[in-house]
Amino acid sequence: MAEKEKKEKLLEIKHLKKYFKVAHKDVLKAVDDISFDIYKGETFGLVGESGCGKSTTGRTIIRLYEPTSGDVVFAGEAIGGKLSHRAKRDLTSKMQMIFQDPYASLNPRMMVKDIIAEGLNIHHLAKSPKERLQRVFDLLETVGLNREHANRYPHEFSGGQRQRIGIARALAVDPEFIIADEPISALDVSIQAQVVNLLQKLQEEQGLTYLFIAHDLSMVKHISDRVGVMYLGNMVELASSDEVYDHPLHPYTQALLSAIPVADPKVERTRERVILQGEVPSPINPPSGCRFRTRCPFAMDICAKVRPKWHEVEKGHWVACHLHDEGVSKDAASQPAEANNKIAAKK
Ligand code: SF4
């Protein structure tokens, strides 16, 4: 992606929160005050364990969920507040979503041509049935399928083909921005690369911008220009893809990276792993201060009392961790708390 393109913001997310009311007046803070930008033409990878709020972030941006508070600005226009039905519909002509499960997200009773043409119908993008069908044929070819597939039903396709149909459906309205919510997680490893290659090809050809959501840093490594890491509703680190992989600052990012196997058996044998103890706490009753403190090998007293500030430590590299607050001794990083944590060198 050209440097100039990187600088132009397509999406600005400011202090976004999405809370859900659950039983007994409890509130689940799925996304709790996150801020980041996405630049035109880039792929922004958003990663974290299951339940960290990454999918809720995507669904709130595209307004499948109403934001609890915060601002979302898309192409200079505020879209975070109350939107009319029509404004939401207009938004879906610029923003589309690809879902994790390509079978569940396709209506099994509809033929592929009707699934793909749904957006064309809603936004009146075809002047006649003939034009609409031609557009469906073109879209099928764009995603590596062919016109013979138009009259079939979703169950007649493999997982990879179904994901291609989902991509064709998203492309039908000619969007600028696509949220891909774990688009390859449900696919066989052999098919994953094909879908990633297709998404990259489409990005080059059509100048698309992606928010690519995944639970695993290895999945976003090759596709992302920048990566954001979420933990329990908070963004904990954000940087260029190379920076996150080569110089991760947050202990959680370091732990995620250390879990990625290395292809070279010699390196793999001596690879140091950060083993996180315990489960992710409940977002209904998250730990005070830093939400990662109950699993962090470096937790300090301040971590229980004060939520770490989200700040830019180097140009383009953001982190929320007291180890990287100004004036905190870096020696603290070599004094891990004992509680529930250990760093184990894998022999
Ligand atoms: Fe959180 Fe403290 Fe660990 Fe940083 S050192 S990740 S602030 S618990």
Side-chain angles (χ1 to χ4, degrees):
M1 186 184 31
E3 192 64 24
K4 184 172 171 285
E5 284 175 322
K6 277 187 188 173
K7 298 292 174 205
E8 199 179 328
K9 286 177 191 173
L10 181 65
L11 202 73
E12 296 166 64
I13 290 121
K14 301 174 186 173
H15 303 290
L16 186 69
K17 293 184 183 179
K18 178 59 194 171
Y19 295 173
F20 296 97
K21 284 194 183 122
V22 288
H24 309 297
K25 296 185 184 164
D26 286 334
V27 174
L28 188 153
K29 297 179 177 178
V31 175
D32 200 12
D33 195 354
I34 64 168
S35 299
F36 63 104
D37 300 326
I38 298 180
Y39 299 123
K40 205 170 165 56
E42 80 166 339
T43 298
F44 187 101
L46 190 59
V47 298
E49 288 163 288
S50 175
C52 70
K54 56 194 189 301
S55 291
T56 305
T57 300
R59 284 161 192 252
T60 309
I61 291 170
I62 204 169
R63 299 303 292 261
L64 287 175
Y65 298 145
E66 293 292 313
T68 302
S69 65
D71 293 326
V72 179
V73 178
F74 179 74
E77 198 180 323
I79 56 162
K82 249 199 159 8
L83 291 183
S84 65
H85 180 69
R86 185 176 176 168
K88 275 191 196 166
R89 196 188 63 193
D90 289 349
L91 193 63
T92 60
S93 71
K94 298 171 192 148
M95 248 187 224
Q96 283 283 306
M97 194 148 182
I98 302 167
F99 296 91
Q100 176 179 1
D101 184 341
Y103 192 65
S105 64
L106 303 177
N107 186 334
R109 284 184 287 276
M110 283 171 77
M111 277 197 274
V112 165
K113 65 180 179 189
D114 298 320
I115 290 172
I116 295 175
E118 254 185 328
L120 299 174
N121 296 340
I122 292 168
H123 297 285
H124 310 292
L125 295 173
K127 291 189 191 78
S128 65
K130 193 177 165 203
E131 187 183 321
R132 185 176 57 199
L133 191 59
Q134 185 55 51
R135 181 85 178 112
V136 168
F137 290 158
D138 292 346
L139 285 160
L140 282 169
E141 276 161 24
T142 301
V143 299
L145 297 171
N146 60 59
R147 58 175 61 201
E148 282 74 50
H149 292 127
N151 288 326
R152 298 195 197 162
Y153 291 89
H155 74 267
E156 297 176 64
F157 294 88
S158 67
Q161 287 175 318
R162 288 196 290 259
Q163 196 54 288
R164 286 173 191 268
I165 295 166
I167 294 169
R169 175 178 60 182
L171 292 176
V173 296
D174 208 8
E176 285 176 67
F177 176 56
I178 290 183
I179 298 172
D181 187 5
E182 305 229 25
I184 56 171
S185 306
L187 304 177
D188 288 347
V189 176
S190 57
I191 307 296
Q192 287 180 348
Q194 293 175 16
V195 173
V196 165
N197 290 345
L198 172 63
L199 289 170
Q200 285 181 312
K201 177 174 134 313
L202 294 169
Q203 183 172 47
E204 277 164 29
E205 289 172 357
Q206 305 190 17
L208 293 164
T209 303
Y210 293 138
L211 173 62
F212 192 98
I213 297 170
H215 59 265
D216 181 337
L217 270 167
S218 64
M219 276 191 189
V220 296
K221 183 172 184 181
H222 298 295
I223 195 171
S224 303
D225 296 289
R226 293 186 305 140
V227 173
V229 181
M230 284 188 76
Y231 183 81
L232 208 57
N234 293 161
M235 188 80 90
V236 297
E237 185 157 8
L238 187 167
S240 69
S241 186
D242 288 345
E243 185 71 4
V244 164
Y245 288 92
D246 296 341
H247 305 289
L249 296 179
H250 197 282
Y252 179 57
T253 314
Q254 291 166 356
L256 287 182
L257 279 170
S258 82
I260 301 175
V262 178
D264 182 336
K266 266 195 207 153
V267 180
E268 175 63 16
R269 269 198 296 278
T270 54
R271 179 168 64 97
E272 288 214 339
R273 292 202 62 186
V274 180
I275 301 193
L276 294 177
Q277 299 293 307
E279 297 296 314
V280 182
S282 165
I284 294 172
N285 188 19
S288 60
C290 173
R291 292 187 177 180
F292 186 57
R293 71 176 168 80
T294 54
R295 301 172 79 199
C296 179
F298 306 109
M300 305 170 279
D301 287 348
I302 189 177
C303 304
K305 295 176 194 143
V306 181
R307 179 174 171 173
K309 212 170 128 203
W310 178 239
H311 67 296
E312 195 173 22
V313 282
E314 281 166 37
K315 190 158 174 39
H317 196 156
W318 295 71
V319 72
C321 171
H322 290 303
L323 289 174
H324 301 284
D325 286 348
E326 259 181 278
V328 171
S329 162
K330 295 293 178 254
D331 291 347
S334 61
Q335 307 280 323
E338 292 301 314
N340 299 328
N341 297 290
K342 62 184 166 206
I343 298 179
K346 196 183 171 205
K347 302 283 180 213

